[in-house]
Amino acid sequence: MNKTLRALLQRKNAAVEAARKITELAATETRDLLAEEQTQVDGLIGQVEALNAQIEREQRLIEAERSSAVAGVALEVRDGARLEGGVPNLLADPQRGFAHFGAFLASVRGASMRPSAADERLLLMAGPTTYANESVGADGGFLVPPQYSGEIMSVIESQDSLLARVRQIPVAGTEWKFPASETTAHGTTGIQAYWDSEADAINQTKPVFKNRSIKLDRLTALVPVTEEALEDASALGAWVQMEAGEKMTFKVSDAILNGTGAGQPLGLLNADCVVSVAKETSQVAATVVAENIMKMWTRMPAAHRARAIWLIHSDVEVQLMQLNVKIKNVAGSENVGGMPIWMPPNGLTASPYSTLLGRPVVPMESCQALGTVGDLWLADLSQYIAITKGAVKADQSMHFWFDQNMRAFRFVLRLGGQPWLQTAISRKNGSSTQSHFVSLATRS
């Protein structure tokens, strides 16, 4: 392990960390950088750029010392690393030179067993250290290469994840503040339009905004892995990503539906803007009837119905399969059967979801049990705001369970969220309200 390269990387990490602290302080205080702070940040960025040049030069020298091959090779691949002119260009490689995630884990394992012979590809991902330790990064950790972090993020945003369906906004600080207007076209506040006559003075109105904010929360996964399991590197790489991704996917979707808003996103179940449709008179407990569906449909604003989907607990699906609009004879009594309002998927080539009033029906484990509030939703999820700060951050530590001969892999996602509306929408005519999120009241 080259001491000069290690020292350069540590100096670079220290400069980046110092600059980040200054910018995050300004973001926390919701202000721009002061002139003095801007000068400090510019100076630190200049140091980083100068160190980058020194790091690249040192890498070239190391390669020249190790190999007597004639320079000038256009492109070469060695152990999954891309080379330019015979020199590793690892910073440009999203996999940092590792052929797959398992190869990265095996390299980390080797570094813990023989620190003096640690893979130099890990040095490019070493975090800043706060104690005297030359062989590892912060708390003994190495950052997972960006491509692998992105693979976990793609699992979180998979088809079954609600995060992929909501409106996502990347942020730089710890909070996102925005002006919100919740006035309606037929409302009496905000900008108004009036009928008037020639020569009449035109009535003036002004927009009305509310100051809203969403704060970032933190979702984490800590995965312990034995040293024995690490020996099967390829299988372990797939397992770690799958496990972390699945657990984080469920937690994100569950928070969007059921989050309390305290240390986690505010979910639909606890949002004040949700409209709840009452059960029918004498409706049997733990059932869903056609009248429930039709009344929920009318509480969704017409402009949002084309984007709305049904979110259901899997036990609700049996109820939906039996739904139909009853047909009555001239005497007013119901005939057997009726017109179905639920349609199954039309073969393997069609949508993977059944439909209800023409909109997809998506079963979700995070929905509440049949018969309780939250077992059935009609939702336009584009009206749910989720803020994110970067992708999933993945780290590894060889010291957390050192006495148990285990390795810790940590994944962190910073995310916050809440519905766009704070309250339900009042209508021009009639006393009922509408919302982008409609639930069915308890049927007990």
Side-chain angles (χ1 to χ4, degrees), residues 371-391:
T372 59
V373 177
D375 64 341
L376 173 63
W377 293 95
L378 177 60
D380 176 6
L381 290 172
S382 69
Q383 299 305 302
Y384 187 98
I385 310 299
I387 63 171
T388 57
K389 189 169 185 178

Side-chain angles (χ1 to χ4, degrees), residues 74-93:
L75 182 67
E76 184 181 349
V77 178
R78 185 188 65 195
D79 296 330
R82 293 185 297 176
L83 306 182
E84 294 183 359
V87 179
N89 186 20
L90 301 182
L91 290 175
D93 186 353

